[in-house]
Amino acid sequence: MATIPGLKSSFDTISVAEQFVRLSQLASGPAFELQFSITQETVLKRLDKEILDLQQEKNTSGATALLDINVTRLKRDVADIDAYAARTKSNRVTTETTIAAFTDLIALADPSTVAEFDSRLASAIADIEKLDTPVFERFGAPDGLRKLKADAVAQLNALVHNNFATGGDISAVQATLNGLSASFGVTLEITRINEDAGFNLSQNTSEKIADLESDISAIQLGAQIENIDEIEKKKEQFARILTALSLSFEIAQSITAYISQYTVFKQEIDPGSVLNLFA
């Protein structure tokens, strides 16, 4: 085995082969660390790209498209339904007030209360004109209130009582008021039904919207959970790759050290061993 004369060791010389192997082993560590760092950076970039691809693939817009359309349609309906519910409630209150006014007017149809009659009549006409009766009503049952409103205002404005000078004047006015009161009584029942229907429709629509939005959230959450699971699997996969690289280096180092120990480096002989006789 080649030696370097003049350099002392425990065997009075230093083996060139041994020093070369030792230097190679010392250098292999930093070299591996550098390559491992580069590899790790490459793996992490690849992981980031695959995670981004997974996030883009888990697009739930297709799965929720129909639900989104239904939610949009129902939300658009809510405004109309709420307006209808408010309108029927207002009309119900006004109709009840009008019927009460007719009762008062019938009682005031007397020569001694003409001024009070005229004042109450003007108030009743003003209330009837407040009735909200659109040309087209999207919801509920037809209540006939639009036509009745126009007829009632026309009849009340045309009412001539002649200061209730005669019994005929009183009877004529009271007959008109009784007829209008009966007509408003019929519409009142329909208005009450429509008011209840409007309230229930508003409640049901809000519940449907909440249910649909809950379904949309469930779909999106499910996609997110699947996404997270896929991402975790990718992380584990790349972690195993890096671990395998690290272990393979350590194993290679151990094998190299083992071979060098028994093929290149001088063996240490225990004192007193029979091998000392040949050393």
Side-chain angles (χ1 to χ4, degrees), residues 139-153:
F139 309 102
D143 55 18
L145 200 55
R146 179 179 177 83
K147 182 177 183 305
L148 180 57
K149 172 185 175 180
D151 291 344
V153 170

Side-chain angles (χ1 to χ4, degrees), residues 10 17 30 45 67 70-71 85 97 109 166 171 202 224-225 230 274 279:
S10 58
K45 287 181 178 179
L67 297 177
N70 287 333
V71 168
T97 301
T166 66
S171 296
S202 178
Q224 290 175 1
I225 292 174
E230 290 293 331
V274 70

Side-chain angles (χ1 to χ4, degrees), residues 7 15 21 52 86 130-131 133 139 150 194 201 209 211 228 252 263:
L7 296 179
S15 167
V21 170
L52 180 60
K130 292 177 183 177
L131 290 169
T133 56
F139 309 102
N194 286 341
L201 188 58
I209 291 173
D211 289 342
I228 291 172
T263 60

Side-chain angles (χ1 to χ4, degrees), residues 56-195:
Q56 292 175 342
E57 289 173 2
K58 296 298 182 180
N59 187 340
T60 60
S61 59
T64 62
L66 183 58
L67 297 177
D68 288 329
I69 291 173
N70 287 333
V71 168
T72 301
R73 177 180 59 79
L74 288 173
K75 284 185 175 180
R76 187 171 59 246
D77 289 343
V78 164
D80 293 340
I81 292 170
D82 288 346
Y84 170 75
R87 183 163 56 253
T88 53
K89 179 179 180 179
S90 174
N91 287 343
R92 187 263 303 166
V93 171
T94 301
T95 300
E96 290 175 342
T97 301
T98 299
I99 293 173
F102 290 148
T103 301
D104 293 341
L105 287 168
I106 290 170
L108 292 172
D110 186 84
S112 63
T113 54
V114 172
E116 293 176 54
F117 179 91
D118 289 342
S119 175
R120 191 73 177 92
L121 178 62
S123 176
I125 293 173
D127 286 338
I128 293 171
E129 288 178 337
K130 292 177 183 177
L131 290 169
D132 190 353
T133 56
V135 175
F136 171 75
E137 189 66 88
R138 180 180 175 188
F139 309 102
D143 55 18
L145 200 55
R146 179 179 177 83
K147 182 177 183 305
L148 180 57
K149 172 185 175 180
D151 291 344
V153 170
Q155 289 184 51
L156 293 175
N157 281 325
L159 198 63
V160 177
H161 53 62
N162 295 319
N163 294 325
F164 304 112
T166 66
D169 293 329
I170 295 174
S171 296
V173 169
Q174 289 179 337
T176 299
L177 294 173
N178 279 322
L180 289 173
S181 180
S183 297
F184 273 95
V186 173
T187 60
L188 176 60
E189 294 306 316
I190 301 174
T191 303
R192 284 172 175 166
I193 292 172
N194 286 341
E195 180 185 3

